[in-house]
Amino acid sequence: MELLLTSHDDLSFNPGSIQPHGVLLALSTQLVILQVSSNTQDYLGKQPEELLGQPLSSLLDALCLEAIAQLPTDEIDTVNYLKLSIRTNEGERDFDGFVHRVEDTIILELEPTSSPVQVNFLNIHTLIKGAIAKLKRTNNLIDFLQLAAQQTRNITEFDRVMVYQFDHQGAGEVIAEVKTEELSPYLGLHYPATDIPQGAKDLYRRNALRIIPCINAQPVELTPTTDDTPLDLSLSVLRSVDPCCIEFHQNMGVAALMVIPLIQEGKLWGLISCHHQTPKYVPYEIRAGCEFLGQIVSSELANKVIQEEVDYKIRLESLRSGVVESISQADNFRDALIHPEPRLLGLVGATGAAVCLDGEISLVGATPNTENVRSLITWADAQVRDNIFYTDSLPKLYPEAETFKDTASGLLLLRISKLRHYYLLWFRTEVIRTVNWAGNPNESIQVNSDGSLTLCPRKSFEKWQEIVRLTSLPWLECEIDSALSLRNAIVGIVLKKAEELAKINQELETSNRELASFAYAASHDLKEPLRGIYNYSVIILEDYASVLDEDATDYLQTVISLSVRMETLINGLLRLSQLGQAALHLQAVNLNELLDQVINVFHASHQQHNLEVRIPRPLPTIHCDPVLLNEVFSNLITNAFKYNDKSEKWVEIGYLDREIGERGAGILQRRRYANGGQGDADRQISASNSLGVTASSVDSQSPITFYVRDNGIGIPVHHHQTIFKLFKRLHTQEKYGGGTGAGLAIAKKIIERHGGQIWVESTPGEGSTFYLTLMVS
């Protein structure tokens, strides 16, 4: 649908006219009159035809001509002022002259003065000087602007003076006001962006002051005019008024107005708007003072706004530095982010936050629940291309967010790594607020019969209230910058740590190779003297038993027992060192056939066993070293039998379905390490067993999680990681058939060499479940 806008006070409606309280002459660079306003007879005593094509010297003496010639008319957006005396049929007449240049045309505008000194300039200077002194002593921004309005009214004596501030969407609010008692207040009222369209804002930004002495005055045409090359009056002091602007102010009961723009960092921040109920001409001396006052207010305004922003930025910087320092020094990235909680929230002025790392979500403050956050991240990934996204009205973009609007009407999302699923989300609560508009803002848009829209002046400016919902406080630019700076710092830290880790890994790999070589050599060389100790002890015990007393016999028996024990430990160490040096012989292995071999060997080695081996469904073919995997499953099955005090012992071997297995290998593993729970995994295994999925349904070339579960004695939670360390036993050597404590360390080494993981979930007295991930062939 096309939107047709008629901009207030811009150049679109009639670029060839001026206000009637002065006269305009367009000159060539040689000061020849090319174009004039049609009211020259009123002010200069000559018809336009008498002036066109004449040199300016026909009106001005040599001194005035030299003054004009010396003005720097080539400066951009600069209007130069000078006092002029012009020869007319009625004699010399004094004018305020305004000169500026547009391309190859010099524009001279003249406003008549009733006397050479119409206003006491010293009085104006005193008022301006006093106003500036008071303004500089005021620190609070609102008090400062209220004082600026008061001082402007003292100087100009307008009925109403307002300070009007624009927001980031172009709408405005009256934030300071001084008026006569009989006028209705506008303080606190909001105005839609359509009241002052962009074209008018651009003109305000370029002109230091805009004066309209009589809003109802008839415009004066320029002559001659050409449609092809209209005269650019953007900087004209006398520029006429758009009819839409006229009607707008007539509806407000305004007969005269003056506007002083407030500029901050080259942008239009707001306006000092002066209204009068009757026509009011403001002499140039007063206007010049108001221009200067406006520049001072803009300068001081920038200082005060900047100081507030600087103070806030310093606080954000301090919080961000603390977070970055914690991250750079901490071993746990998540803990460094979320502790202490207020720091993460204060980093961007949020009321809640979510930290998502590798799919795990931690919540801080007032937030949606975990599942809502997870869905929100999925939506953002599909919608947002950049690494940062923010809105102060999330439910309008993501309707599902309306269910948690109380905690997340505002969202700032920072994507640190899409590949690793690293996200930071900050939330802001809904802020239900009442906006008081100066009349219904919807009345400024008129729907035409063809469906197009036309911008038109509103008829009423009575207070009109709107309840704004589903929005939060807007995110400030410095808060966005703070979030981006945090991302850059995190990425930098991660890269630095990655380099350090790579160096450490390289050194560790070298050290491990050397250690494995040493362990192999040491264990191999120790076996020979150990066999000697064993053999000589046996010989002494056999050949000299008759001459040994009972204590000596016991000592020799202990030496023999210890040497056997030591040889077993050395064999375990030797085996572990061999695993680090030997190459893997990877091939496609049918796990069902491999387990048949393992179970047959177990039966042969344990003639009197009572262990039931369960395999609920066919197992897939895996990519592995069959000899080493045989050793892993042999160890786990033997342990399931050995560490079991039940009358009916069993062990179950199977695998998890894809979605369960992925969680089991990642999130569940870390969670089980943290709390030692078992129930969820048991239920998942039972569910997977009941699905009846065959081995052929497993995707190829992807990891899968296998499990070996028993009903044995179980393992206390604080030992879930200890059991995988070399020579760590949870019982005495005599209990549960002995053992060296090397079996699970060897199993872990084998699985890790295959690129997988192994972990345990267990409840004492109920049994254990060992999980291991392997690549499917």
Side-chain angles (χ1 to χ4, degrees):
M1 182 166 57
E2 182 183 6
L3 180 63
L4 304 177
L5 298 181
T6 304
S7 300
H8 303 174
D9 201 20
D10 67 8
L11 301 175
S12 61
F13 85 99
N14 187 355
S17 64
I18 63 170
Q19 297 180 72
H21 62 276
V23 62
L24 182 146
L25 296 86
L27 312 170
S28 70
T29 54
Q30 288 77 34
L31 300 185
V32 175
I33 300 173
L34 304 176
Q35 194 172 359
V36 296
S37 56
S38 59
N39 60 348
T40 54
Q41 180 66 46
D42 298 335
Y43 293 104
L44 305 179
K46 295 184 179 182
Q47 293 294 334
E49 293 79 9
E50 298 178 65
L51 296 173
L52 292 173
Q54 299 297 314
L56 188 60
S57 57
S58 62
L59 294 175
L60 301 178
D61 58 26
L63 190 62
C64 290
L65 287 173
E66 184 179 357
I68 292 176
Q70 291 178 350
L71 289 175
T73 55
D74 57 341
E75 294 182 4
I76 299 174
D77 284 4
T78 299
V79 178
N80 302 282
Y81 169 80
L82 70 168
K83 286 284 187 179
L84 295 175
S85 181
I86 298 181
R87 296 187 297 268
T88 69
N89 294 336
E90 299 176 358
E92 295 285 332
R93 189 171 184 182
D94 295 319
F95 289 88
D96 291 321
F98 307 92
V99 183
H100 72 278
R101 183 166 179 167
V102 178
E103 295 180 349
D104 294 331
T105 303
I106 296 174
I107 296 178
L108 171 62
E109 298 174 89
L110 303 171
E111 291 183 17
T113 59
S114 59
S115 64
V117 182
Q118 184 181 22
V119 178
N120 188 325
F121 183 77
L122 290 178
N123 290 342
I124 297 298
H125 179 267
T126 301
L127 287 173
I128 297 296
K129 185 177 179 181
I132 292 173
K134 291 178 181 178
L135 288 169
K136 288 191 173 182
R137 290 196 298 267
T138 306
N139 294 321
N140 180 271
L141 180 60
I142 297 301
D143 292 343
F144 170 79
L145 295 172
Q146 183 67 28
L147 181 60
Q150 181 65 64
Q151 295 302 314
T152 303
R153 185 165 186 263
N154 292 346
I155 296 169
T156 62
E157 298 181 345
F158 272 88
D159 292 336
R160 186 198 305 268
V161 178
M162 303 174 292
V163 178
Y164 183 91
Q165 180 187 2
F166 298 109
D167 63 18
H168 64 287
Q169 295 178 330
E173 178 186 3
V174 179
I175 58 176
E177 180 185 48
V178 182
K179 63 179 185 62
T180 57
E181 291 184 1
E182 70 272 11
L183 294 178
S184 299
Y186 287 167
L187 183 65
L189 294 184
H190 289 69
Y191 292 76
T194 52
D195 276 4
I196 307 179
Q198 190 57 49
K201 290 187 177 75
D202 291 340
L203 289 175
Y204 282 136
R205 182 180 56 80
R206 296 179 62 190
N207 291 270
L209 184 142
R210 172 65 162 155
I211 178 71
I212 304 175
C214 181
I215 198 75
N216 298 318
Q218 291 297 314
V220 176
E221 299 293 325
L222 300 183
T223 181
T225 59
T226 61
D227 295 333
D228 294 335
T229 56
L231 193 61
D232 184 352
L233 299 181
S234 298
L235 299 182
S236 171
V237 175
L238 297 172
R239 185 180 72 250
S240 61
V241 189
D242 183 284
C244 192
C245 179
I246 293 173
E247 185 180 351
F248 181 89
H249 287 94
Q250 286 175 338
N251 294 341
M252 294 180 73
V254 175
L257 68 146
M258 186 176 76
V259 180
I260 306 166
L262 299 177
I263 308 298
Q264 184 185 353
E265 296 181 351
K267 298 178 181 179
L268 185 65
W269 184 90
L271 305 170
I272 299 177
S273 186
C274 309
H275 291 178
H276 211 66
Q277 293 175 282
T278 58
K280 180 180 178 64
Y281 179 79
V282 181
Y284 171 73
E285 288 80 4
I286 294 178
R287 283 147 51 189
C290 289
E291 283 186 21
F292 182 63
L293 183 62
Q295 292 170 359
I296 295 298
V297 171
S298 292
S299 176
E300 289 295 314
L301 171 67
N303 291 337
K304 287 174 172 55
V305 172
I306 289 172
Q307 188 57 50
E308 288 185 356
E309 291 179 353
V310 166
D311 291 342
Y312 187 47
K313 287 179 180 178
I314 290 174
R315 186 159 67 88
L316 295 183
E317 175 66 28
S318 176
L319 292 171
R320 187 173 66 251
S321 297
V323 173
V324 172
E325 183 178 2
S326 296
I327 293 172
S328 63
Q329 296 178 355
D331 294 330
N332 190 304
F333 180 40
R334 184 188 308 277
D335 289 346
L337 280 173
I338 65 178
H339 297 301
E341 291 186 0
R343 185 175 64 182
L344 180 61
L345 301 181
L347 195 67
V348 295
T351 51
V355 178
C356 177
L357 303 177
D358 286 331
E360 284 195 66
I361 295 175
S362 299
L363 304 178
V364 177
T367 67
N369 62 39
T370 301
E371 290 308 313
N372 285 332
V373 171
R374 200 180 305 280
S375 300
L376 182 57
I377 292 174
T378 302
W379 170 80
D381 265 342
Q383 300 292 324
V384 181
R385 294 183 180 180
D386 296 331
N387 291 320
I388 192 165
F389 168 78
Y390 55 93
T391 176
D392 59 3
S393 186
L394 179 62
K396 294 180 181 179
L397 302 175
Y398 179 59
E400 290 83 350
E402 190 166 350
T403 59
F404 48 85
K405 59 183 175 59
D406 293 340
T407 57
S409 284
L411 169 68
L412 196 166
L413 181 145
L414 191 67
R415 181 162 54 204
I416 300 173
S417 171
K418 188 174 183 179
L419 181 63
R420 295 292 304 274
H421 297 286
Y422 278 19
Y423 299 87
L424 288 178
L425 295 86
W426 287 279
F427 305 104
R428 280 183 176 169
T429 58
E430 180 185 31
V431 177
I432 300 175
R433 56 194 175 97
T434 301
V435 179
N436 295 318
W437 294 95
N440 187 344
N442 299 319
E443 292 180 355
S444 62
I445 304 294
Q446 175 181 314
V447 181
N448 301 319
S449 57
D450 61 357
S452 64
L453 302 180
T454 299
L455 181 63
C456 57
R458 288 179 286 114
K459 305 298 182 183
S460 171
F461 294 87
E462 294 294 324
K463 185 169 71 174
W464 188 87
Q465 291 188 334
E466 177 188 15
I467 305 300
V468 179
R469 300 181 183 275
L470 303 179
T471 61
S472 70
L473 295 176
W475 302 98
L476 301 179
E477 185 176 350
C478 59
E479 294 165 342
I480 306 301
D481 292 340
S482 180
L484 284 172
S485 296
L486 177 64
R487 181 185 184 276
N488 294 337
I490 290 174
V491 171
I493 291 171
V494 169
L495 290 175
K496 182 179 179 181
K497 288 199 171 186
E499 292 177 359
E500 294 174 353
L501 187 60
K503 183 178 179 181
I504 292 172
N505 284 339
Q506 186 177 8
E507 294 174 352
L508 187 60
E509 186 176 344
T510 302
S511 177
N512 284 341
R513 284 198 301 267
E514 294 173 352
L515 184 60
S517 297
F518 170 77
Y520 178 80
S523 58
H524 183 273
D525 294 345
L526 282 174
K527 293 183 73 173
E528 183 178 352
L530 190 60
R531 283 194 296 269
I533 294 172
Y534 174 83
N535 291 336
Y536 281 115
S537 297
V538 171
I539 291 171
I540 292 172
L541 192 60
E542 292 177 351
D543 294 350
Y544 299 96
S546 59
V547 298
L548 297 175
D549 59 18
E550 185 176 352
D551 289 341
T553 302
D554 290 340
Y555 295 153
L556 285 172
Q557 291 286 0
T558 301
V559 169
I560 294 171
S561 176
L562 291 176
S563 62
V564 171
R565 171 67 176 163
M566 188 172 181
E567 184 175 16
T568 304
L569 295 175
I570 290 174
N571 287 334
L573 180 61
L574 183 61
R575 180 62 181 140
L576 196 63
S577 65
Q578 289 173 335
L579 287 175
Q581 293 182 321
L584 294 180
H585 299 286
L586 299 176
Q587 55 186 280
V589 176
N590 186 319
L591 196 53
N592 300 286
E593 296 176 359
L594 185 144
L595 281 175
D596 284 342
Q597 298 174 11
V598 172
I599 294 169
N600 290 335
V601 172
F602 175 81
H603 289 330
S605 302
H606 303 79
Q607 298 292 333
Q608 302 299 321
H609 74 84
N610 60 338
L611 178 68
E612 177 188 359
V613 180
R614 304 172 181 174
I615 301 179
R617 57 175 171 172
L619 301 172
T621 297
I622 59 174
H623 196 63
C624 68
D625 185 318
V627 175
L628 297 182
L629 257 292
N630 185 300
E631 187 172 353
V632 170
F633 281 104
S634 295
N635 181 280
L636 294 177
I637 292 174
T638 300
N639 285 349
F641 171 71
K642 183 188 301 183
Y643 299 104
N644 197 320
D645 56 4
K646 305 294 192 304
S647 58
E648 295 183 359
K649 304 177 182 181
W650 55 264
V651 61
E652 180 177 297
I653 303 170
Y655 65 93
L656 305 182
D657 290 323
R658 179 67 58 209
E659 64 277 4
I660 300 175
E662 289 175 353
R663 281 179 287 168
I667 298 172
L668 287 179
Q669 179 188 3
R670 291 188 293 273
R671 189 175 299 165
R672 295 303 178 266
Y673 277 150
N675 59 33
Q678 183 190 16
D680 289 344
D682 285 342
R683 285 191 291 272
Q684 289 167 346
I685 293 170
S686 298
S688 69
N689 292 342
S690 65
L691 293 176
V693 180
T694 63
S696 60
S697 66
V698 180
D699 294 337
S700 62
Q701 293 300 320
S702 57
I704 190 168
T705 302
F706 295 90
Y707 66 87
V708 178
R709 185 169 52 161
D710 63 55
N711 65 335
I713 60 174
I715 303 167
V717 63
H718 58 279
H719 285 306
H720 283 187
Q721 297 185 58
T722 305
I723 58 173
F724 293 104
K725 296 180 179 179
L726 186 62
F727 302 145
K728 290 293 183 179
R729 289 178 46 82
L730 307 186
H731 311 283
T732 62
Q733 184 180 350
E734 294 77 15
K735 198 170 184 181
Y736 297 109
T740 63
L744 288 177
I746 292 172
K748 182 174 183 292
K749 182 74 172 180
I750 292 173
I751 295 300
E752 288 177 348
R753 288 215 60 194
H754 281 77
Q757 304 174 67
I758 184 170
W759 69 97
V760 67
E761 294 177 6
S762 182
T763 301
E766 296 183 11
S768 303
T769 302
F770 286 86
Y771 295 96
L772 48 148
T773 59
L774 292 168
M775 189 66 68
V776 176
S777 178

